[in-house]
Amino acid sequence: MIKFLDLQKVTAKYAHEIHEAVRRVVDSGWYLQGQENERFEANYAQYIGTKYAIGCANGLDALIWIFKAYVEMGVMQAGDEVIVPANTYIASILALTENNLVPVFVEPKFNTLEIDDDMIESAITSKTKAIFIVHLYGRCAYTEKIGQLCKKYNLKLVEDNAQAHGCYFGNQRTGSIGDAAGHSFYPGKNLGAFGDAGAVTTNNKVLAEVVRALANYGSTRKYVFKYCGRNSRLDEIQAAILDVKLKHLDDDNEYRKDIAEYYIKHISNPCVSLPVTMDRRNNVFHLFPILCTKRDELHDYLEVNDVQTIIHYPIPPHKQECYQEWNALSLPITEQIAQQELSLPVSPVMEMGEVRKVVELVNRF
């Protein structure tokens, strides 16, 4: 069986370093808000290219705290609108509705699967306060046009960098391009913890301070609560593990790119569309999405032939039961992607023989 992602093999690559890191934390007797957090936050901020990184419990919380911080700072208020890609994981939308902000869905480009920057300006109104881009599948969603629109209309630029650790736009890593970015370290991510974990990166000192307080019950100092926050802290064991894996992230990403380039060069099937190529630095291939007019049949065919694939995401946010107020929206490109997307296995522990087998099967289908 070719697994979609073999986490046991991923862990085994760095097992000695990880075991040493965990042992260090266990022996220290200090499990929250200690030196491991300080070390990882400093190293991750330096890696991303921002002044601040604030660890928190998970990627959804990271996004929630960014927008809640803007509300607390008076930059946004309930009822304000935020431009967001229509094809994204639901966490991007939950972060807005949790803060009583209104998502304004913009369709993606079919050949990139990222937000269509040609459609953003027509969606901007007097209530728009931010453009919220999602570097979906590991591909950079930012464009110079998006940056120009933010300047023209005085909008915040927020990044969902959950799937794109290590990705670049020019000489900047994603997560440092906008005013703030949320990161997920869910185990399956390019930089994955041994459970849920997340972080916010920013160059804004005030925003960083508010986010840190919100994730610690709203407290700026012990027993003093300036905000109504929650308990959303990154624990010391996860921080230590992430710091180990951060050292190897770029090498792992390069191998992902090698696999993706092999797929792009060798897959040839008339019912399969491949992602349009771009500069190698602009995609870390958290996922390798293809579009197939016979998606479900291809999924079953590969499964029978011992290849695991996953559909990301079969029901777009505006069609989810929890958002019935948007169920009647017609977003045909997003809906077509939801009906055709299939993610092939890509990981830093796949063997090239396995990659060749996937290609042969897809071409034979």
Side-chain angles (χ1 to χ4, degrees):
M1 170 65 73
I2 298 175
K3 293 184 178 182
F4 185 77
L5 176 61
D6 193 330
L7 285 177
Q8 287 179 309
K9 281 188 178 181
V10 172
T11 300
K13 283 185 71 176
Y14 313 117
H16 177 72
E17 293 175 83
I18 290 170
H19 290 162
E20 286 299 313
V22 172
R23 185 179 299 112
R24 184 177 66 243
V25 177
V26 171
D27 290 348
S28 75
W30 194 288
Y31 308 126
L32 283 170
Q33 296 182 299
Q35 292 181 352
E36 302 296 342
N37 259 270
E38 292 176 5
R39 183 183 298 113
F40 173 67
E41 287 179 348
N43 289 339
Y44 194 64
Q46 182 178 35
Y47 177 84
I48 292 296
T50 55
K51 292 180 181 178
Y52 309 102
I54 305 96
C56 60
N58 55 69
L60 173 57
D61 279 2
L63 298 174
I64 288 173
W65 302 141
I66 290 170
F67 289 103
K68 186 169 177 60
Y70 278 132
V71 171
E72 294 288 357
M73 293 161 64
V75 175
M76 300 179 190
Q77 62 182 3
D80 284 343
E81 296 174 352
V82 175
I83 304 292
V84 66
N87 66 316
T88 184
Y89 184 57
I90 199 167
S92 310
I93 312 305
L94 289 169
L96 300 176
T97 57
E98 178 79 8
N99 286 294
N100 297 310
L101 299 170
V102 180
V104 177
F105 299 105
V106 171
E107 290 262 62
K109 291 182 178 178
F110 192 74
N111 65 339
T112 68
L113 309 182
E114 306 295 340
I115 192 168
D116 188 341
D117 58 2
D118 292 327
M119 297 179 68
I120 292 175
E121 189 164 20
S122 63
I124 295 172
T125 73
S126 60
K127 289 188 173 183
T128 306
K129 292 297 186 291
I131 298 175
F132 186 13
I133 57 174
V134 181
H135 304 297
L136 201 62
Y137 309 116
R139 182 186 185 115
C140 179
Y142 180 77
T143 65
E144 290 182 356
K145 186 169 187 176
I146 290 174
Q148 291 165 359
L149 288 171
C150 288
K151 290 179 181 178
K152 180 178 179 179
Y153 292 98
N154 191 28
L155 304 176
K156 296 296 182 186
L157 178 63
V158 178
E159 301 172 74
D160 183 338
N161 200 51
Q163 299 187 0
H165 315 132
C167 186
Y168 276 95
F169 177 84
N171 293 320
Q172 282 184 275
R173 290 195 195 268
T174 56
S176 71
I177 299 167
D179 295 283
H183 308 252
S184 168
F185 306 123
Y186 178 81
K189 296 295 195 287
N190 290 35
L191 180 61
F194 281 12
D196 279 317
V200 171
T201 54
T202 184
N203 288 315
N204 186 319
K205 182 180 180 181
V206 175
L207 180 71
E209 290 172 347
V210 177
V211 166
R212 189 176 296 282
L214 288 169
N216 187 36
Y217 296 95
S219 175
T220 53
R221 55 192 176 93
K222 196 168 185 178
Y223 301 133
V224 178
F225 302 93
K226 187 174 182 179
Y227 312 104
C228 293
R230 293 183 191 168
N231 178 9
S232 178
R233 298 175 297 206
L234 178 64
D235 73 65
E236 290 284 278
I237 288 178
Q238 301 302 344
I241 291 167
L242 288 167
D243 202 49
V244 167
K245 296 178 78 174
L246 180 60
K247 302 169 189 173
H248 304 286
L249 177 58
D250 286 343
D251 288 340
D252 285 349
N253 282 344
E254 288 304 307
Y255 188 65
R256 286 175 178 271
K257 296 173 189 181
D258 291 342
I259 294 171
E261 287 180 356
Y262 189 91
Y263 280 154
I264 291 168
K265 184 176 180 180
H266 293 95
I267 289 177
S268 179
N269 185 312
C271 71
V272 171
S273 297
L274 299 173
V276 65
T277 57
M278 63 194 307
D279 188 288
R280 187 178 170 103
R281 287 161 58 86
N282 300 143
N283 198 333
V284 293
F285 291 99
H286 169 59
L287 301 171
F288 189 89
I290 62 173
L291 299 175
C292 182
T293 52
K294 300 177 181 177
R295 190 265 309 282
D296 293 342
E297 293 95 324
L298 177 57
H299 170 273
D300 294 345
Y301 169 78
L302 292 172
E303 190 79 19
V304 167
N305 284 279
D306 295 326
V307 175
Q308 290 182 343
T309 59
I310 295 179
I311 297 168
H312 296 91
Y313 303 94
I315 306 174
H318 72 285
K319 293 296 185 183
Q320 295 287 349
E321 185 177 353
C322 63
Y323 289 131
Q324 292 184 28
E325 63 269 37
W326 296 313
N327 285 177
L329 282 178
S330 176
L331 297 165
I333 299 174
T334 294
E335 290 157 23
Q336 183 179 354
I337 291 169
Q339 292 165 4
Q340 294 186 5
E341 195 278 342
L342 185 68
S343 297
L344 301 181
V346 55
S347 82
V349 294
M350 273 189 83
E351 298 176 5
M352 287 310 296
E354 294 176 321
V355 178
R356 287 191 288 270
K357 180 180 178 182
V358 173
V359 170
E360 290 169 5
L361 288 168
V362 171
N363 289 346
R364 195 186 306 160
F365 172 71

